[in-house]
Amino acid sequence: ETVEVDRKSVYTLSDPHDRMHREPLVAMFRTRGPPSNEAFTFKLVNVHTDPDDVPEEMNALADVYRAVVNDGDGEDDVILLGDFNTSEKTLYQVAHISPTISTALADIMTNTRGTKAYDNLIFDGRHTSEFLGRSGVLDLVRVFNSTTEEILQVSDHLPVWGDFTVFENRGAERLATSPAGKPIR
């Protein structure tokens, strides 16, 4: 109800040098609600690194990010998301894509046992100003009033989320004004 996929934009990124065990899946999205010329458009790059090859695959993801940004369609909002098998503190070459590379989550455990931080959303904060700074993990144990063992039968990872505005380039706008009508930073 809130986003739509451009089905013509969905593709698996080619990996002719076999740098990744699972090729990333790429798709373009647009938020519903605002007029199309004001709607937030973005690309998601779904990632699952191999736990035995995290440094190599994270370094390859830096090239994946650049390839998606520079694919010729002009979309600068590119979000890597999924299971990186590493925390936001160890992004290898992904951390050097830009001085404003950002993660939605910091110091939050994302596995079902609450002991590891593997999953995240990674984007360039300079381009993806639509991120509102709110994010988290959906605690399935609590949501479904289950045990950790029951949830582990479904997955050893919990869903992660990030909150983005539905309007293109509006994340940096002031959300409140002072009584004098001046923006509050």
Side-chain angles (χ1 to χ4, degrees), residues 3-112:
V3 295
E4 61 188 17
V5 65
D6 176 353
R7 297 198 185 279
K8 295 177 286 188
S9 73
V10 180
Y11 65 96
T12 302
L13 197 67
S14 176
D15 183 15
H17 302 292
D18 201 28
R19 295 177 63 197
M20 301 191 71
H21 290 257
R22 300 170 191 94
E23 288 83 6
L25 180 67
V26 181
M28 173 86 90
F29 295 85
R30 180 177 69 83
T31 57
R32 290 185 173 171
S36 61
N37 64 329
E38 295 180 22
F40 176 37
T41 59
F42 54 98
K43 283 187 178 174
L44 297 181
V45 182
N46 190 29
V47 174
H48 185 182
T49 64
D50 186 297
D52 297 327
D53 292 317
V54 170
E56 296 85 1
E57 292 199 9
M58 289 300 291
N59 290 339
L61 280 176
D63 294 333
V64 165
Y65 182 90
R66 288 183 196 97
V68 174
V69 166
N70 297 314
D71 68 2
D73 69 7
E75 181 57 59
D76 63 348
D77 295 308
V78 174
I79 303 168
L80 301 172
L81 73 159
D83 180 1
F84 298 100
N85 280 301
T86 190
S87 79
E88 80 284 354
K89 293 178 178 84
T90 315
L91 297 178
Y92 301 93
Q93 288 302 310
V94 171
H96 302 291
I97 291 169
S98 160
T100 53
I101 204 71
S102 299
T103 60
L105 302 170
D107 297 319
I108 297 177
M109 302 302 114
T110 63
N111 69 333
T112 303

Side-chain angles (χ1 to χ4, degrees), residues 112-134:
T112 303
R113 294 191 189 282
T115 59
K116 303 285 182 184
Y118 291 143
D119 308 276
N120 216 320
L121 295 90
I122 302 172
F123 50 90
D124 188 335
R126 172 185 52 192
H127 298 296
T128 309
S129 61
E130 295 85 358
F131 180 60
L132 297 175
R134 295 183 297 265

